[in-house]
Amino acid sequence: MKKATIILIVFLVCFGCKKEHSTEDANTSQKSFSLSDRVKKEIDAIQSSSQRITNAPDGREAHEKNDSITRKISTHSENIINILIASYGKVPTDTIFTVLKNIDHSGYIPLALYERLNDEDFSTEIGKSAKKAYLAYSEAKDAELGTLRNINLLDKKLLLNRIVENDTVLLQELLLKHEGYKVLDFWATWCAPCRSFNKRFQEHYLKYKDKGIAFYGIGIRVDSENEREKFLTAIANDKTPWEQFVDLNNATYDLFETNVVPYQVLLDKNNRVVKILSYDINTELDALLEN
């Protein structure tokens, strides 16, 4: 993120929290500055790390260096979300909405935060704007899901490469081997949220696996030997317990007509898309198991 954007975040946070001078307001303002400062430090760390990434790495040593940097960036990205969630009730909600808007323009609000919000939080001008953006985001996700329901993954000979074993399998055969729910997790080595998920989800994976939900990691845009080496380095470092594949010719990912990663879709027992998952995947899958 550019320095100008960082400055804008701090400015908007301060502007949105400006009130009459009082001891209470001064304390509130100080907390707001503290939140913006904590987020800024994480963004600065992301920017600093990003500048150290080699644009065209060649060789194992360069891949390892880049991968280490990407994993650090993923930690800082995760920290920002956790800071915003933990700040609720400690700073004005308008402050949280403002910071969130300036690091993610989609309208998304983490579920762990959204479930705590009330009518008063959404009563301000900033709150109303945040609610409107969130509802638009949710409606767009529902509309996208409507088009994906028509995708028949069993009707096409979609090929995947098992990256470690280096052999080819049909997605159709893979899906038919498991009778329960499945999650297709499309990701890329350079994607910090993807790498954050790889690390964050490991402790939860066995619970869902034991409940009959299968997971398949699918690397996208692995179109050269150099990219393949990057992917092998990433899965070795992330140590994900779920099986990893490469999407040959990106044929499976392109079916979903998206350019987003991580992009995780839930398939039902009939291998139909029933949900586009999000950062809140644990909560979403827990709800599935309760039904």
Side-chain angles (χ1 to χ4, degrees), residues 136-279:
Y137 165 84
S138 299
E139 289 173 5
K141 296 287 279 187
D142 290 342
E144 182 182 359
L145 178 59
T147 63
L148 298 184
R149 291 186 189 278
N150 296 322
I151 294 178
N152 186 349
L153 294 172
L154 302 182
D155 191 38
K156 299 175 176 62
K157 291 187 176 180
L158 300 166
L159 296 175
L160 302 177
N161 174 257
R162 291 198 302 171
I163 185 71
V164 175
E165 295 82 356
N166 195 20
D167 58 10
T168 302
V169 296
L170 278 169
L171 176 64
Q172 177 189 72
E173 295 177 357
L174 195 67
L175 298 179
L176 290 175
K177 284 181 180 178
H178 183 76
E179 296 181 354
Y181 286 92
K182 301 102 178 168
V183 174
L184 303 184
D185 170 34
F186 296 98
W187 67 286
T189 59
W190 43 262
C191 164
C194 301
R195 308 301 296 277
S196 175
F197 171 79
N198 284 353
K199 179 173 60 177
R200 172 168 50 92
F201 195 68
Q202 290 180 28
E203 61 184 283
H204 307 286
Y205 166 70
L206 288 178
K207 176 179 75 171
Y208 297 116
K209 177 177 179 292
D210 291 343
K211 295 291 185 179
I213 303 178
F215 287 79
Y216 308 104
I218 303 177
I220 66 164
R221 308 295 184 245
V222 187
D223 302 324
S224 67
E225 189 58 36
N226 195 37
E227 291 298 321
R228 183 179 176 83
E229 285 299 319
K230 290 182 189 177
F231 197 64
L232 283 167
T233 299
I235 64 171
N237 288 334
D238 289 352
K239 299 181 174 64
T240 54
W242 53 95
E243 197 167 10
Q244 296 292 339
F245 302 84
V246 167
D247 187 8
L248 294 182
N249 300 317
N250 304 296
T252 304
Y253 179 69
D254 288 346
L255 279 177
F256 295 93
E257 298 183 356
T258 183
N259 59 1
V260 174
V261 284
Y263 192 77
Q264 298 161 321
V265 293
L266 176 68
L267 309 181
D268 66 11
K269 299 173 183 178
N270 297 314
N271 296 299
R272 296 289 185 176
V273 178
V274 293
K275 192 171 184 62
I276 305 168
L277 299 169
S278 70
Y279 178 89

